[in-house]
Amino acid sequence: MQDVLPVGLAHWLIQASYFLAAILFIWGLKKMSHPRTARGGVLWAGIGMVVATVITFAEPGMHNYLLMTTAIFVGGVLAWWTGKRVAMTDIPQMIALYNGMGGGSAAAIAAVELLRVYTGAGLSYEAFAARELAVLGALIGTIAFSGSLIAFAKLQGWMRKVYRFPAQQALNGMLFVALLVLGFLLARTEFPAGALYAFFALALLIGVLMTIPIGGADMPVVISLYNALTGLAVGFEGFVLQNPAMMIAGIVVGSAGSLLTQLMAKAMNRSLSNVLFAGFGTGDDGGSALEVSGSMKAIDPTDAAMTLTYAEKVIIVPGYGMAVAQAQHKIWELTQVLIEKGVKVSFAIHPVAGRMPGHMNVLLAEAGVPYDLIYDLEDINSQFANTDVALVIGANDVVNPAARKDTSSPIYGMPILNADKARNVFVVKRGQGTGFSGIENLLFFEDNTRMCYGDAQDVAQKLIAGAKSA
Amino acid sequence: MEGFIALYIFMLAAFTGYEVISKVPVILHTPLMSGSNFVHGIVLVGAMVALGHADTTPERIIGFIAVLLGAGNAVGGYVVTERMLEMFKSSKEDR
């Protein structure tokens, strides 16, 4: 097919557009790190993406335009449709899914390049380390692809079981060594087609095997890790294709994603190696050794509403249980009633209050809660001591004082919200069971704690009614 | 492009990514992960080039998959990020 533009002009325009796209991506990410400018950030990055994609059609010497446009149209429309429809509570698995697609795309690019090596056409760009980077990108991208799909299945609830079997790490280690040997073969010499297929099959398998033993609670860290890995894979394939936009965007995401993974792991009191190589929330951690004293004391929602209304300062501690019950809109309504009555209300968000750090902020924002009422753990923890009521809704482990007191507890050392320091603590909870991690919550047995049993939405409704009539 | 220039690009991009994220508040962790997920959707342009130069049927099939997945990454990443960030409002703004 005829080139769209003269070759020299096309090359110049493509390079200039990729340069512009790289600037817009970095600038967009920078703007996304503050709530007020965040939306503008994603818009600018989006413009960069459109510019880079459109100009790529002018790349000289290309054919298969019909296939290309069809693939973009089908992939784009499907992603648009699913992205617009997904509920805010399900955002984490959608990020995993789209991320897996990116990893798969990088791996497929590598597969095309390696097929060219196999047929004797050679890489698009033969240079020092180009083959090694192609193979490395293929490996990382494929693992990110299959791993992300498993993460998606787990968060979507399609795969509830945690698969662990003896010598799992040893098996993974052996497969990984085999994979490296195959990869070395692909990067060095002429290779049989079988080696190419075996390489990708094995990489897919490793991604699956790495992810299936990891419990749902740790999944955010894993998704973040795969996000960083996809970035790296994209950066490496960008080198193979001599595409600076891919190199810069990929490596920026690779390093930003690595840092974000560490921040998340730290917020959850887990180390990355713990997440990847040890079980959690699987029951093999053992329970708390500390004797629980006292008993749980129930309170009627109407009485709780009365105390809330006459309080000066209330801190609401939402957990994922609130989002499951879809109670965030009711809670915002309750907050508005209380504010009208002159109560100072703020929200305290633990980094792992949602299904990943920051997820709860998104859910509250969806309900209409302005972000300046919402505080991070470090900013609000000192204020519980002069707070009249801490209202805990659907949160459990993140307010468990065992993390401060009980050295034998699996969550010991995890930063928690000090809700127990408030004068009164109301806990809205479905029933008397333990939390996500199966650990007994000492907060529920404190003298200043009252339990408000019931569905979060029903209780919130009763609290609103009570507060209005008070 | 010389190997060392690529190395410089890798090094500077790595520092840039680290710096851009290091001051981010926890409130934005999820949107930012989603946003960076969108940014590596740039893999789409590489997939287009790979498919554009594909000559054999296996290359075309795999190239097609690459473009399909890349487009999904870019578009899906953008849509969910934008949806999340659109909802962040301050009580001081008009709503």
Side-chain angles (χ1 to χ4, degrees), chain A residues 39 64 83 105 125 255 357 371-372, chain B residues 1 14 30 51 66 82-83 91:
Chain A
R39 183 150 185 229
N64 300 329
S105 182
Y125 173 74
S255 97
Y371 63 75
D372 48 341
Chain B
M1 206 183 294
T30 294
L51 175 60
E82 208 269 344
R83 269 187 67 197
S91 60

Side-chain angles (χ1 to χ4, degrees), chain A residues 316-328:
Chain A
I316 300 179
V317 182
Y320 192 62
M322 179 198 74
V324 171
Q326 286 293 317
Q328 55 267 44

Side-chain angles (χ1 to χ4, degrees), chain A residues 26 29-30 32-35 38-39 42-43 45-46 49 52-53 56-57 60-64 67-68 71-72 75-76 79-80 83-84 86 88 91 95 98-99 101-102 104-105 108-109 115-116 125 224 227 230 234 239 241-243 246 248-249 251-253 255-256 259-260 264 356-359 361-362 365-366 370-372, chain B residues 1 6 9-10 13-14 16-18 20-22 24-55 58-60 62-64 66-73 75-93 95:
Chain A
I26 294 170
L29 278 175
K30 183 74 206 157
M32 269 187 251
S33 57
H34 192 284
R39 183 150 185 229
V42 71
L43 284 174
M49 189 68 75
T53 309
T56 302
F57 278 102
M62 293 212 301
H63 35 269
N64 300 329
L67 275 177
M68 205 182 292
I72 293 177
W80 181 274
K84 281 284 178 197
V86 63
M88 278 299 146
I91 287 283
I95 297 178
Y98 299 138
N99 175 54
M101 294 171 96
S105 182
I109 293 173
L115 269 176
R116 291 168 59 93
Y125 173 74
S224 181
N227 186 38
T230 302
V234 171
F239 178 80
L241 297 173
Q242 287 298 286
N243 184 317
M246 277 171 75
I248 293 171
I251 299 298
V252 163
V253 171
S255 97
L259 179 60
L260 202 56
M264 283 192 181
M356 56 171 70
H359 188 211
N361 305 75
V362 174
E366 187 192 20
Y371 63 75
D372 48 341
Chain B
M1 206 183 294
I9 293 180
F10 279 0
T16 306
Y18 195 89
V20 163
I21 297 284
S22 59
V24 95
V26 179
I27 155 171
L28 284 173
H29 275 184
T30 294
L32 198 68
M33 197 218 278
S34 178
S36 58
N37 176 35
F38 161 63
V39 166
H40 66 52
I42 190 68
V43 71
L44 171 61
V45 302
M48 287 166 69
V49 173
L51 175 60
H53 291 124
D55 296 318
E59 281 178 36
R60 278 199 193 94
I62 301 171
F64 182 84
V67 176
L68 188 85
L69 293 176
N73 182 183
V75 173
Y78 182 82
V79 170
V80 294
T81 311
E82 208 269 344
R83 269 187 67 197
M84 273 190 272
L85 291 176
E86 178 192 37
M87 298 178 317
F88 281 88
K89 291 187 176 85
S90 164
S91 60
K92 284 148 201 135
E93 294 167 21
R95 266 180 293 129

Side-chain angles (χ1 to χ4, degrees), chain A residues 54-128:
Chain A
V54 169
I55 200 69
T56 302
F57 278 102
E59 168 95 14
M62 293 212 301
H63 35 269
N64 300 329
Y65 280 105
L66 182 63
L67 275 177
M68 205 182 292
T69 329
T70 313
I72 293 177
F73 183 77
V74 174
V77 165
L78 279 178
W80 181 274
W81 189 70
T82 51
K84 281 284 178 197
R85 283 171 49 95
V86 63
M88 278 299 146
T89 42
D90 295 341
I91 287 283
Q93 57 260 47
M94 290 317 282
I95 297 178
L97 185 64
Y98 299 138
N99 175 54
M101 294 171 96
S105 182
I109 293 173
V112 172
E113 288 293 322
L114 292 171
L115 269 176
R116 291 168 59 93
V117 174
Y118 172 70
T119 53
L123 283 186
S124 299
Y125 173 74
E126 288 283 359
F128 174 69

